[in-house]
């Protein structure tokens, strides 16, 4: 049994079955890439793992720290050490990045507004942000801006990785953190992720393209097509996909056009 074990997960959205029996084990220290064409169910997997209410679990379990994640509310999953970087980060007007990050971190540390000893000291918090924002090439002005408001695509994705760096999860799900980014942003984001790699972190790196895998080298690669894994292996799977794309599995012209 891996540290984070997905067992035969079946999920429906709006009454349609999208994930049709997904099993995957992630040990801390490992990077697993999940690749697949558009509409194959990658974000359904990421949202389900974090507990999004629109995704209905039809069957299966997700075991982490002897608990079934699927029975817990989202915030409890986060406290337990699971993190999701969203494919489409949400704008939160009126809440500054700095306030948001501090509140999230304090919530994870168990600070409920009463026991001040659990809250991070302002000086420590500033030092933490400064070093992480340096790696991500983000300047201080981000901290006083509202969460994702007016951020470019690259800035939003970097802001997600900054959250990850602050919250220090044990299992991080990165949903197309590379999509829509120019090569510099992919490099900064990859540096941020690589800096956190290590024996205490397992990563589920969801991507459509192989490009980010040149910078964040996966240990395992799984190909998701129509809600099922059709192929799993080592980095060589990504190398093969680089050449052939998903054509072997995606035959319908409609799906091919959507992919292009
Ligand atoms: P991917 O991330 O691999 O591109 P998704 O998991 O986003 O794929 O989508 C898989 C399928 O589920 C698609 O057919 C999509 O239209 C459908 N789907 C996902 N989320 C929703 C939703 N909130 N409402 C309706 N359909 C959805
Ligand atoms: Mg997606």
């Amino acid at each position: 049994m891996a540290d984070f074990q997905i067992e035969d997960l079946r999920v429906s959205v709006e009454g349609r079955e999208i994930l049709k029996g997904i099993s995957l084990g992630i040990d801390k220290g490992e990077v697993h890439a999940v690749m697949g064409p558009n509409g194959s169910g990658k974000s359904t997997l990421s949202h389900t793992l974090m507990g999004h209410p629109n995704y209905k679990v039809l069957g299966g379990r997700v075991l982490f720290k002897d608990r079934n994640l699927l029975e817990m509310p989202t915030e409890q999953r986060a406290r337990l050490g699971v993190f999701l970087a969203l494919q489409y980060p949400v704008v939160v007007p009126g809440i500054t990045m700095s306030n948001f990050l501090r509140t999230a971190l304090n919530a994870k540390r168990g600070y409920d507004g009463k026991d001040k000893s659990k809250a991070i000291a302002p000086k420590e918090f500033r030092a933490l942000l400064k070093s992480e924002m340096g790696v991500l090439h983000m300047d201080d002005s981000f901290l006083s801006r509202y969460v994702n408001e007016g951020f470019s695509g690259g800035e939003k994705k970097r802001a997600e990785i900054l959250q990850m760096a602050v919250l220090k999860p044990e299992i991080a799900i990165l949903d197309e953190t590379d999509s829509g980014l120019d090569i510099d942003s992919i490099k900064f984001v990859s540096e941020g992720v690589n800096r956190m790699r290590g024996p205490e972190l397992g990563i589920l790196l969801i991507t459509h393209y192989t490009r980010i895998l040149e910078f964040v080298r996966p240990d395992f690669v799984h190909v998701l097509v129509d809600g099922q894994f059709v192929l799993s292996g080592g980095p060589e799977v990504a190398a093969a996909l680089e050449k052939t794309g998903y054509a072997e599995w995606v035959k319908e012209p409609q799906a091919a056009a959507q992919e292009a």
Side-chain angles (χ1 to χ4, degrees), residues 14-34:
E14 306 275 327
R16 188 156 66 94
E17 188 168 343
I18 305 293
L19 295 183
K20 302 165 180 174
I22 296 282
S23 296
L24 178 63
I26 302 172
D27 274 324
K28 288 202 265 177
E30 294 175 346
V31 175
H32 289 251
V34 168

Side-chain angles (χ1 to χ4, degrees), residues 1-11 19-27 32 34 41-42 44-50 57 59-64 67-70 77 82 171-173 203-206 222 224 227 229:
M1 171 91 63
D3 292 330
F4 187 87
Q5 187 73 45
I6 304 171
E7 285 181 359
D8 200 20
L9 181 62
R10 294 191 302 116
V11 175
L19 295 183
K20 302 165 180 174
I22 296 282
S23 296
L24 178 63
I26 302 172
D27 274 324
H32 289 251
V34 168
K42 301 185 298 298
T44 300
L45 176 62
S46 73
H47 285 137
T48 303
L49 293 176
M50 213 63 219
V57 175
R61 299 188 300 175
V62 177
L63 299 173
F64 181 53
R67 312 269 299 271
N68 182 4
L69 214 62
L70 301 178
R77 301 181 197 203
V82 183
I171 296 294
I173 305 151
I203 298 178
L204 184 64
L205 183 64
I206 296 175
H222 313 272
L224 184 71
F229 288 131

Side-chain angles (χ1 to χ4, degrees), residues 13-14 16 18 37-44 54-55 87 176:
V13 184
E14 306 275 327
R16 188 156 66 94
I18 305 293
N38 287 332
S40 57
K42 301 185 298 298
S43 293
T44 300
N54 285 3
Y55 298 80
Q87 180 174 3
E176 297 214 25

Side-chain angles (χ1 to χ4, degrees), residues 142-218:
F142 272 97
L143 295 175
S144 51
R145 290 170 67 183
Y146 295 148
V147 175
N148 289 320
E149 191 172 80
F151 286 24
S152 71
E155 288 168 345
K156 282 183 182 169
K157 298 296 171 121
R158 279 184 260 170
E160 294 290 290
I161 300 303
L162 178 61
Q163 277 176 54
M164 175 178 165
V166 166
L167 294 174
K168 295 190 173 48
E170 291 167 57
I171 296 294
I173 305 151
L174 308 180
D175 193 351
E176 297 214 25
T177 299
D178 53 334
S179 70
L181 298 196
D182 58 37
I183 195 72
D184 283 337
S185 293
I186 291 195
K187 281 185 188 160
F188 301 151
V189 159
S190 299
E191 274 168 45
V193 172
N194 283 330
R195 211 165 102 101
M196 289 178 256
R197 263 182 102 152
E200 292 311 312
L201 173 66
I203 298 178
L204 184 64
L205 183 64
I206 296 175
T207 180
H208 180 103
Y209 300 104
T210 52
R211 195 166 54 163
I212 194 174
L213 305 182
E214 290 166 25
F215 302 106
V216 182
R217 293 269 173 198

Side-chain angles (χ1 to χ4, degrees), residues 177 231 252:
T177 299
L231 181 63
E252 312 92 295

